[in-house]
Amino acid sequence: MRRALNLAELGRGRTSPNPLVGAVVLDAAGVLVGEGFHARAGEAHAEVGALRQAGERAQGGTLVVTLEPCCHQGLTPPCTGAVLAAGINRVVVAMADPNPLVAGGGIARLRAAGVEVITGVAEAEARTLNRAFVNRIETGRPLGLLKWAMSLDGRTALPNGASQWISGPPARAWVHRLRAQGDAVIVGGGTVRSDDPLLSSRGQRIPEPLRVVLSRSLDLPERAQLWDTAVAPTLIAYGAKAPADGRKRLAAITEAHPDLQTLELPACTPTALLEALAQRGCNQVLWECGPELAAAAIREGCVQHLAAVIAPKLLGGTAARTPLGDLGFTALDQLPPWQAESPQRLGADLLWMLNRST
């Protein structure tokens, strides 16, 4: 099963809206004869790839898979049919599929056909592997990770707004890898105006993740790196109450850049945005936004993981920008719990990862 979990990891960043899945086939004597992983949405599932590699040697053997085989017709046929056609005698499953289209139906179909099914093997590891997929299915929103880089004195920019670069090249390379693991990178209009970011993985993921600008005012610059959709797709999202002058600016931008996507939300909030992105099949998003939008995302429960890169620099200035705006707390006992992982070195910088306690 751990081999299957390692195989599943190979598809990270390319399978959404599907989960990460790995599979291993053992012949009747217990010899590994096939393996596979889900490489991309629309392509063969892990079980099918492993069974194809095993061929006739799968007859009477065992299939070890990280997620319950699907039993419904999607972009590809149901995997349970392939398992039965291959003559597999035993299926070992790490976790049941939380997708309501499956939700135990795949296991039930296999058992009804006389296949022995063992469940719960390395289940915790499998749920961790697919925490983004599980979060989208269970909450209707993608998993959210908020990232920022700051100085040792907690600043994300100088008093004059200058912020490039606080962290060093190794930390910036890590951010590119982080973007490649997700489906969308989100910023606010203020970040576009002040930083003119590119927000790509620098080719570490093909296609690049969707770049999303959430703007209440639509006070967006006429020119920005994000408007170049030859680099990566870009979506500009705004609320139903967006002002007329902002809508006029947006119309001018989209006229000049017709490949830009736009989306009017019922409300210009992190929750409304994530619900819309979930409908588009996003399992995981990365928040790289300014302090006010970051605080709103946390307040609305749209952030499950934090990543803070701390650089050995002192920026100073009482008016300097900090990572977060007001979270609305009035007493320390109101603070939600976060569990910190061991810090990591990124060149001269220090990375702290924190996970929201449940």
Side-chain angles (χ1 to χ4, degrees):
M1 183 61 77
R2 290 197 170 88
R3 173 60 180 168
L5 290 166
N6 289 337
L7 288 167
E9 185 67 42
L10 297 176
R12 184 169 296 282
R14 297 187 298 275
T15 65
S16 293
N18 297 341
L20 297 166
V21 184
V24 170
V25 176
L26 310 176
D27 67 12
V31 177
L32 191 152
V33 292
E35 56 185 24
F37 68 97
H38 186 40
R40 193 180 302 274
E43 296 184 5
H45 287 190
E47 303 95 312
V48 173
L51 290 168
R52 284 176 181 168
Q53 190 177 94
E56 294 182 357
R57 294 173 294 177
Q59 183 76 33
T62 297
L63 170 69
V64 180
V65 62
T66 59
L67 188 72
E68 172 186 6
C70 64
C71 55
H72 67 288
Q73 177 70 47
L75 294 176
T76 59
C79 292
T80 49
V83 174
L84 296 175
I88 289 289
N89 281 356
R90 180 188 299 110
V91 175
V92 182
V93 177
M95 62 175 284
D97 191 338
N99 188 338
L101 295 174
V102 185
I107 292 172
R109 182 181 177 193
L110 293 173
R111 284 176 171 161
V115 177
E116 178 188 2
V117 181
I118 300 170
T119 62
V121 178
E123 181 174 3
E125 292 96 320
R127 288 189 68 86
T128 297
L129 174 79
N130 269 313
R131 61 186 183 271
F133 172 75
V134 171
N135 190 83
R136 180 178 66 81
I137 294 296
E138 293 182 347
T139 69
R141 298 184 296 193
L143 187 81
L145 192 155
L146 171 63
K147 183 277 304 178
W148 68 73
M150 66 181 184
S151 62
L152 192 60
D153 55 339
R155 309 303 198 214
T156 59
L158 290 170
N160 66 0
S163 62
Q164 295 180 343
W165 296 97
I166 291 176
S167 58
R172 298 200 292 276
W174 169 81
V175 171
H176 299 156
R177 295 193 297 271
L178 189 65
R179 290 173 185 161
Q181 295 175 11
D183 303 304
V185 182
I186 305 171
V187 296
T191 298
V192 180
R193 291 189 297 270
S194 63
D195 296 345
D196 189 21
L198 186 60
L199 298 183
S200 77
S201 73
R202 304 305 194 268
Q204 296 195 44
R205 169 181 163 161
I206 303 296
E208 289 279 352
L210 177 67
R211 303 176 298 184
V212 180
V213 180
L214 180 63
S215 176
R216 180 178 290 106
S217 67
L218 289 175
D219 181 14
L220 301 172
E222 179 182 346
R223 294 181 178 83
Q225 291 192 95
L226 292 181
W227 306 161
D228 182 3
T229 54
V231 175
T234 300
L235 170 70
I236 302 174
Y238 55 96
K241 296 182 179 180
D245 59 343
R247 291 174 182 268
K248 185 176 180 179
R249 281 192 295 271
L250 178 61
I253 292 171
T254 55
E255 183 178 0
H257 305 276
D259 289 334
L260 282 173
Q261 305 172 46
T262 63
L263 176 64
E264 181 174 311
L265 302 167
C268 191
T269 64
T271 298
L273 175 62
L274 289 201
E275 289 174 351
L277 291 178
Q279 291 294 319
R280 289 171 170 242
C282 291
N283 283 338
Q284 180 171 312
V285 301
L286 176 62
W287 296 91
E288 291 199 53
C289 49
E292 297 307 318
L293 182 52
I298 292 176
R299 288 196 305 267
E300 295 181 25
C302 295
V303 175
Q304 286 70 47
H305 303 280
L306 296 175
V309 176
I310 305 171
K313 299 174 182 177
L314 299 175
L315 301 190
T318 57
R321 191 168 64 184
T322 58
L324 296 175
D326 185 10
L327 293 175
F329 302 127
T330 57
L332 290 179
D333 59 7
Q334 297 174 348
L335 304 183
W338 294 87
Q339 298 295 326
E341 299 179 8
S342 297
Q344 304 174 42
R345 285 284 182 188
L346 296 173
D349 305 318
L350 188 67
L351 169 66
W352 276 94
M353 297 286 292
L354 296 94
N355 305 312
R356 184 70 179 264
S357 299
T358 55

